Amino acid sequence: GMLKLQSTINKDIQKELELLVHTRHADKIDLQQKADKFAELALKRLNKIHVLEAQVRQFVYGLTKNSAKSKNVLFSAAANTEVENGVRDREESNHLLADLINEGEANGNGVRPDENIMEVWIKGATIRDGIISPGSSTFIVIDFFDFESQTTSLLSGLQPQWDFAATYKIVVDDFLLRYLSTDVITFELNMANMGE
């Protein structure tokens, strides 16, 4: 009797184990197919990103190579857009882009096709009474990524108006993206007392 019972239990356990192995195998195949579909979608999106980046580079490179010619092209493209859409924003933004590129070339520090310019403006601050000592001056230190720290001018009062722009020439790569997702840009308010 016990041997027959043991045999029945073993057969039931074997059937259950086979069912679990089969289910696991089916789930594994299903998950692999989903992962393959996601990988294919990600690859398509990455290819689209590369195409769009190449178009932007080509556009910017065309602006830098043919600045006078491109200004006319930009103006005519902007004029067509203005006629079609009744707006002037495109014309102004294209001229601004061309001006920024030309300004960079004139200063000898132009923007390469794989680079971007990021500006951080510090207009001013309102400091509550009692935070800084009377007669002291304040300034801001800006720390971003692996760039040198930048500082505003030294101003006195509780409402300093620095009107300062920190400009960073950046290349969007894995290191910058990781920094942007995990770190912050640091603004540090500092006080100076009578030349200290």
Side-chain angles (χ1 to χ4, degrees):
M2 288 294 270
L3 190 57
K4 193 173 184 179
L5 183 62
Q6 180 68 34
S7 177
T8 307
I9 291 173
N10 284 346
K11 284 181 185 177
D12 288 345
I13 289 174
Q14 184 65 29
K15 285 180 184 177
E16 192 175 327
L17 184 61
E18 286 175 3
L19 180 65
L20 287 173
V21 168
H22 183 279
T23 304
R24 182 179 154 259
H25 182 68
D27 287 348
K28 183 178 178 183
I29 290 173
D30 185 46
L31 287 174
Q32 185 62 44
Q33 288 174 345
K34 286 180 181 178
D36 291 343
K37 285 180 184 177
F38 281 127
E40 184 180 334
L41 180 62
L43 188 60
K44 284 180 183 176
R45 288 180 178 172
L46 182 64
N47 287 337
K48 181 68 174 177
I49 289 169
H50 288 305
V51 166
L52 292 172
E53 286 176 340
Q55 289 173 351
V56 168
R57 282 189 199 102
Q58 190 174 24
F59 178 73
V60 171
Y61 183 74
L63 285 178
T64 59
K65 281 296 191 192
N66 308 319
S67 57
K69 183 177 170 185
S70 64
K71 279 184 184 176
N72 293 335
V73 170
L74 289 174
F75 181 74
S76 64
N80 289 340
T81 303
E82 183 178 339
V83 169
E84 293 169 8
N85 299 332
V87 294
R88 295 177 180 242
D89 293 343
R90 170 114 186 214
E91 177 184 339
E92 292 169 6
S93 67
N94 285 336
H95 283 297
L96 178 61
L97 178 61
D99 289 345
L100 285 171
I101 291 170
N102 291 336
E103 180 181 314
E105 287 176 347
N107 295 338
N109 52 347
V111 179
R112 294 189 328 246
D114 64 333
E115 292 178 327
N116 292 298
I117 299 293
M118 183 178 98
E119 283 191 340
V120 177
W121 281 87
I122 299 177
K123 292 294 191 179
T126 301
I127 303 169
R128 290 185 298 223
D129 287 333
I131 301 291
I132 61 172
S133 307
S136 56
S137 300
T138 55
F139 64 98
I140 301 282
V141 176
I142 308 159
D143 287 315
F144 174 65
F145 196 39
D146 61 353
F147 294 98
E148 242 181 74
S149 294
Q150 295 195 33
T151 61
T152 64
S153 57
L154 194 62
L155 294 178
S156 59
L158 295 177
Q159 294 186 331
Q161 297 299 311
W162 293 290
D163 198 22
F164 175 79
T167 304
Y168 303 99
K169 190 184 296 188
I170 58 174
V171 175
V172 179
D173 58 10
D174 291 340
F175 298 114
L176 180 66
L177 292 175
R178 178 169 290 201
Y179 175 86
L180 292 174
S181 68
T182 59
D183 250 310
V184 294
I185 187 166
T186 305
F187 299 93
E188 194 176 285
L189 178 65
N190 293 277
M191 178 180 70
N193 240 349
M194 293 183 264
E196 289 180 19

